[in-house]
Amino acid sequence: MAEELDMTRIPQHIAITMDGNGRWATERNKPRSYGHQAGVDTVRRITSECVRLGVKFLTLYTFSTENWNRPSDEIAALMGLVLTSLEDEIFMKNNVRFRVIGDMARLPEEVQKKLRETEEHTAKNAAMTMVVALSYSARWEIAKAMREIVAEHQANSSEPLRPEMITEEVISEHLETNFMPDPDLLIRTGGELRISNYLLWQIAYSELYFCDTYWPDFNEQDLQKAIASFQSRQRRFGKTEKQVEEKENN
Ligand code: IPE
Ligand code: IPE
Ligand code: MG
């Protein structure tokens, strides 16, 4: 059954931890890479559905820094999938801009090249931005931001860096995600109730939604359910219920 959604309150930015590919495949007596392949089809469907609903940013956790510790054949299969699944068609058909966040330098050369090309080809697409987090972890990102702040200051000034120069805005501007707003909604499929080093800074006030469905089985209705849950909540940002209601009525 399709959910009744309030189209005026669609989350602007949805982040997803796409988990459960391996278990989905194992339950079918297939290699884990078969689950990752199936997961790519889900990415296509969910991307189209997000565009249809008017979501502006979709950030997909695709490969974490910690995932480098997986068996090398699984890593190779995942890198292969990144290469083959980045067809321009899905982006052009849906008018989607593609961006990558993460430690690109660790990726194989040809993957880096394909990612850059896809970013360039899709740069003018404006319906939605799809952001793929690859070789990404939030602690890596935050530590890198700190190093950049210091390095930029040293390159531009002979004065010592003053502590008060480190503000929340300056930190945000140096994160990989500096071109987009923070996620309104974070969805994790696959049943685990954890964050796994994803967007730690940016999800400070995101609404969280966890579901048991494995990523290859996650469909448009499941996405609508997550958005309906988001819409049923009151985001208070520290204020009282009454304060928020008064603001909404003005
Ligand atoms: C998520 O699925 C995809 C990646 C981390 C690359 P998993 O591969 O973690 O699947 P499970 O959690 O083992 O089922
Ligand atoms: C999180 O999934 C990373 C991605 C979905 C890319 P994992 O399956 O790697 O997370 P943990 O290790 O179980 O927390
Ligand atoms: Mg997993």
Side-chain angles (χ1 to χ4, degrees):
M1 203 185 72
E3 293 284 337
E4 283 288 335
L5 294 181
D6 176 349
M7 297 305 282
T8 68
R9 290 177 54 230
I10 296 294
Q12 184 181 192
H13 180 179
I14 299 180
I16 306 184
T17 299
M18 311 185 288
D19 198 20
N21 294 349
R23 282 165 286 161
W24 183 89
T26 304
E27 280 182 8
R28 285 161 180 75
N29 295 313
K30 301 276 193 189
R32 292 175 58 85
S33 57
Y34 181 76
H36 298 314
Q37 174 73 63
V40 174
D41 295 331
T42 306
V43 169
R44 290 206 182 89
R45 292 177 64 168
I46 295 303
T47 301
S48 301
E49 181 66 0
C50 283
V51 172
R52 192 184 73 79
L53 292 171
V55 173
K56 288 293 163 203
F57 296 91
L58 174 65
T59 304
L60 301 172
Y61 205 4
T62 305
F63 190 82
S64 70
T65 303
E66 290 74 20
N67 289 149
W68 285 114
N69 297 318
R70 289 199 178 186
S72 55
D73 60 335
E74 183 170 345
I75 295 175
L78 281 163
M79 293 301 145
L81 265 181
V82 171
L83 269 184
T84 55
S85 58
L86 281 176
E87 310 130 9
D88 283 349
E89 185 212 320
I90 168 145
F91 302 110
M92 292 312 177
K93 196 178 76 192
N94 292 296
N95 193 19
V96 169
R97 176 171 73 135
F98 175 82
R99 293 291 302 260
V100 197
I101 58 172
D103 192 358
M104 292 272 282
R106 284 186 80 174
L107 301 171
E109 288 277 351
E110 54 174 344
V111 174
Q112 291 186 36
K113 185 162 170 274
K114 181 80 185 169
L115 293 166
R116 290 284 174 236
E117 279 170 9
T118 311
E119 283 187 330
E120 282 162 24
H121 291 167
T122 62
K124 296 212 165 65
N125 292 353
M128 183 180 83
T129 302
M130 182 220 267
V131 184
V132 165
L134 260 179
S135 190
Y136 171 89
S137 80
R139 287 184 174 185
W140 163 81
E141 177 189 40
I142 294 168
K144 180 176 74 93
M146 301 302 156
R147 288 192 293 272
E148 277 178 14
I149 293 168
V150 176
E152 277 174 24
H153 180 82
Q154 287 176 348
N156 295 318
S157 164
S158 51
E159 302 282 308
L161 189 133
R162 283 176 284 114
E164 60 272 22
M165 290 165 113
I166 309 286
T167 61
E168 292 188 14
E169 288 69 29
V170 167
I171 295 171
S172 291
E173 280 162 17
H174 286 82
L175 296 177
E176 296 274 293
T177 51
N178 58 10
F179 57 92
M180 59 179 168
D182 288 341
D184 302 293
L185 171 64
L186 169 65
I187 299 171
R188 181 172 185 143
T189 65
E192 309 296 355
L193 304 180
R194 56 180 175 251
I195 300 298
S196 304
N197 216 349
Y198 194 31
L199 301 173
L200 293 179
W201 177 276
Q202 299 87 339
I203 61 170
Y205 255 112
S206 304
E207 296 297 328
L208 308 182
Y209 182 88
F210 296 94
C211 68
D212 289 334
T213 312
Y214 293 144
W215 178 249
D217 288 332
F218 190 80
N219 63 24
E220 291 85 345
Q221 276 76 42
D222 296 314
L223 176 72
Q224 289 169 20
K225 248 170 124 173
I227 297 176
S229 167
F230 168 84
Q231 292 185 341
S232 73
R233 308 179 195 182
Q234 187 191 45
R235 301 183 81 187
R236 288 195 280 276
F237 298 101
K239 294 184 177 167
T240 66
E241 195 179 352
K242 193 157 154 269
Q243 284 177 302
V244 176
E245 277 161 12
E246 278 165 7
K247 178 135 194 293
E248 275 164 8
N249 295 332
N250 278 331

